[in-house]
Amino acid sequence: MPTRPLHAVFARSPLPHAVALCSVAMSLGAQAQGFIEDSHANLTLRNYYLDRDYQDDGAKSEAREWAQGFILKFQSGFTEGPLGFGLDATGLLGVKLDSSPDRSGTELLPVSPSSGRAADEYSRLGLTGKMKIDKTLLQAGDLNLALPSALSSPSRLLPQTFRGGYLTSSQIDGLTLHGGYVDRIAKRNSSDYEAMTVASPNGRFNGRATTSHMAFVGGDYALTPELTLKAHYLEVADLYEQGYLGALHRIPVGPGTLSTDLRAFFSDENGSADAGKVDNQHLSLQFAYGLGGHRWTLGHAHQGGDTATPYISGTELMGISEMTMSSDYLNARERMWQAIWDYDFAAAGVPGLTARLRYVRGDNIELAAFGVDDRKEREAQWEMGYVIQDGPLRGVGLRVRQSFYRNDFPAGAAFRDENQTRLMVTYNLPIW
């Protein structure tokens, strides 16, 4: 996508501006106890390499880029009194380390649609005002959402955020209420806010249709220490609406713990239905058993109705297929199975080292835009991560993820046969 010159967004980068904002906040805090006393700031460094090696006969044989991200966050405390006020600021900067027009498009960096060339750098500054009364918090401005139907994507160089207002309340013990209204999205590889659209891989919906806003309400209730129930509703004006019901139950079984995770999404078109027909019931059930450092997971998801599951482009849906690398497994009528093994090596005396093996398979897929059905896809994935525990590099995190994805989709489909590799080095530096 085309990007404005950096001077049109910030003078050079958002980092000096965020620092200046923190200085202003400190001067304000001198007049308001708690604003600064409870504040903190940190800088996260994220070095990210992503390589898609396509295994089909498509026009592009690979997408491979390397970039460095800087995430500077300031979070204030609240002014004293029954009604407290605060201010948060996030400065984001992404810098290209390696890319070229013939292999751009990993979504680590913005790309010009005319030349295919990735931007040398991109940046933005997010400001969030906040107001707190007892256990009720109102935020306005740049928002990071973690809703079942709208998860701010953390899976690239810089985080994806929304613009709007968000109210959370935990006045009743065990119950957290959510409500909000957002009108723009800042995607993970963009400097600007833009109108929201529905994700449309494989031509599922009209991905060009935009919405004026998204509104949501919901609640999470810990009925018992072992059982949490969730109910949420989201409306994306003139595109679609989506209800969500979920239940998470944990109980000791033998020497370990058994978790049962039930999630259900119910989606229909909304208003003028500019994205086209929406008719989907997404049901999933997942069991996980944890013992020592091991965790074994088995899950199944079933798509009912005539269309795929809708979600906002640039975000992620919190289904059980979340955090897969090469597909979303949300196609119309798809039946998805997955098996996961996680291991924390702290149980074996190596703290900071973790591993995962994952296999995902989907079948009975209908791709209406291509006039085909009964298609299949599968993905084998492994990853390892390590956070250095001692020495001068203490706190540096290293992670490698790799997947091998195959399907029998027709040529031109969004998800292509590929071998994908991601390498990440992260470091979080507390400033105060």
Side-chain angles (χ1 to χ4, degrees):
M1 65 179 66
T3 57
R4 294 184 297 171
L6 285 184
H7 63 76
V9 185
F10 308 109
R12 281 292 299 168
S13 86
L15 300 180
H17 291 260
V19 172
L21 180 63
C22 293
S23 301
V24 173
M26 291 179 67
S27 65
L28 291 175
Q31 307 170 30
Q33 295 295 319
F35 188 95
I36 288 302
E37 286 82 348
D38 298 326
S39 71
H40 58 275
N42 65 276
L43 174 65
T44 298
L45 307 178
R46 181 180 294 173
N47 190 275
Y48 204 135
Y49 171 82
L50 197 155
D51 184 342
R52 293 181 183 270
D53 181 12
Y54 296 115
Q55 301 296 300
D56 55 21
D57 297 325
K60 198 168 191 174
S61 62
E62 61 183 355
R64 186 174 69 250
E65 293 179 303
W66 181 29
Q68 175 67 48
F70 301 86
I71 305 170
L72 177 62
K73 287 189 175 183
F74 164 79
Q75 292 181 296
S76 79
F78 291 90
T79 58
E80 289 189 336
L83 181 61
F85 295 89
L87 177 68
D88 297 341
T90 302
L92 304 172
L93 173 65
V95 179
K96 178 175 68 177
L97 298 178
D98 181 62
S99 179
S100 67
D102 61 326
R103 50 185 172 83
S104 62
T106 64
E107 293 188 84
L108 292 183
L109 300 160
V111 176
S112 168
S114 58
S115 67
R117 187 173 300 277
D120 291 334
E121 55 184 27
Y122 66 111
S123 56
R124 69 177 188 265
L125 175 65
L127 301 177
T128 308
K130 54 188 181 180
M131 181 176 68
K132 187 176 183 181
I133 305 175
D134 196 15
K135 297 180 181 179
T136 298
L137 174 66
L138 174 64
Q139 299 171 280
D142 196 63
L143 303 174
N144 194 304
L145 300 182
L147 304 170
S149 295
L151 171 65
S152 292
S153 177
S155 62
R156 290 296 189 273
L157 186 68
L158 302 178
Q160 174 267 313
T161 59
F162 295 90
R163 186 185 72 182
Y166 184 25
L167 178 71
T168 57
S169 179
S170 301
Q171 297 295 137
I172 301 174
D173 288 345
L175 176 64
T176 301
L177 299 175
H178 307 259
Y181 177 102
V182 299
D183 64 353
R184 288 291 185 272
I185 184 173
K187 293 188 176 181
R188 53 198 182 187
N189 61 338
S190 174
S191 297
D192 304 311
Y193 291 108
E194 58 189 83
M196 292 175 286
T197 62
V198 63
S200 188
N202 299 324
R204 298 169 181 172
F205 306 103
N206 176 13
R208 298 182 302 276
T210 61
T211 180
S212 60
H213 68 272
M214 177 178 75
F216 55 88
V217 294
D220 308 329
Y221 183 51
L223 186 62
T224 68
E226 297 80 22
L227 177 62
T228 299
L229 304 176
K230 297 186 178 185
H232 290 254
Y233 173 79
L234 174 144
E235 177 192 73
V236 184
D238 292 322
L239 298 185
Y240 71 93
E241 54 193 57
Q242 189 170 78
Y244 172 82
L245 296 174
L248 179 62
H249 185 250
R250 295 185 179 90
I251 187 171
V253 175
T257 301
L258 177 67
S259 300
T260 303
D261 189 347
L262 176 65
R263 310 183 198 188
F265 297 85
F266 306 93
S267 307
D268 292 287
E269 60 261 27
N270 176 265
S272 55
D274 294 339
K277 182 178 181 178
V278 179
D279 173 34
N280 177 267
Q281 301 85 47
H282 176 118
L283 309 176
S284 66
L285 179 62
Q286 186 162 266
F287 299 97
Y289 187 69
L291 176 63
H294 299 274
R295 182 179 175 88
W296 297 274
T297 303
L298 289 174
H300 173 62
H302 179 87
Q303 304 275 358
D306 295 329
T307 71
T309 305
Y311 59 97
I312 295 296
S313 178
T315 71
E316 298 181 19
L317 188 87
M318 293 180 70
I320 65 171
S321 59
E322 174 192 356
M323 300 305 291
T324 50
M325 294 172 61
S326 298
S327 175
D328 58 15
Y329 299 90
L330 299 174
N331 297 287
R333 305 192 184 280
E334 182 163 11
R335 299 176 303 202
M336 186 274 280
W337 297 87
Q338 72 173 356
I340 305 172
W341 171 72
D342 293 293
Y343 188 67
D344 186 342
F345 284 83
V350 188
L353 180 63
T354 58
R356 162 173 281 205
L357 296 176
R358 183 180 194 178
Y359 180 76
V360 188
R361 180 179 177 84
D363 60 20
N364 197 52
I365 296 168
E366 179 181 288
L367 302 177
F370 295 89
V372 298
D373 57 14
D374 197 24
R375 300 294 159 139
K376 300 178 178 63
E377 59 181 343
R378 65 187 186 277
E379 180 176 349
Q381 177 183 326
W382 72 271
E383 63 181 85
M384 292 196 72
Y386 181 63
V387 178
I388 298 174
Q389 303 293 297
D390 300 296
L393 296 180
R394 180 182 178 183
V396 173
L398 312 170
R399 180 168 296 275
V400 56
R401 306 180 69 199
Q402 192 169 38
S403 72
F404 305 90
Y405 173 80
R406 301 292 185 271
N407 64 45
D408 61 357
F409 296 174
F415 305 127
R416 300 173 55 187
D417 290 357
E418 66 171 15
N419 300 336
Q420 185 182 150
T421 302
R422 302 185 189 187
L423 302 173
M424 288 161 279
V425 181
T426 59
Y427 181 64
N428 186 54
L429 175 64
I431 298 175
W432 74 79

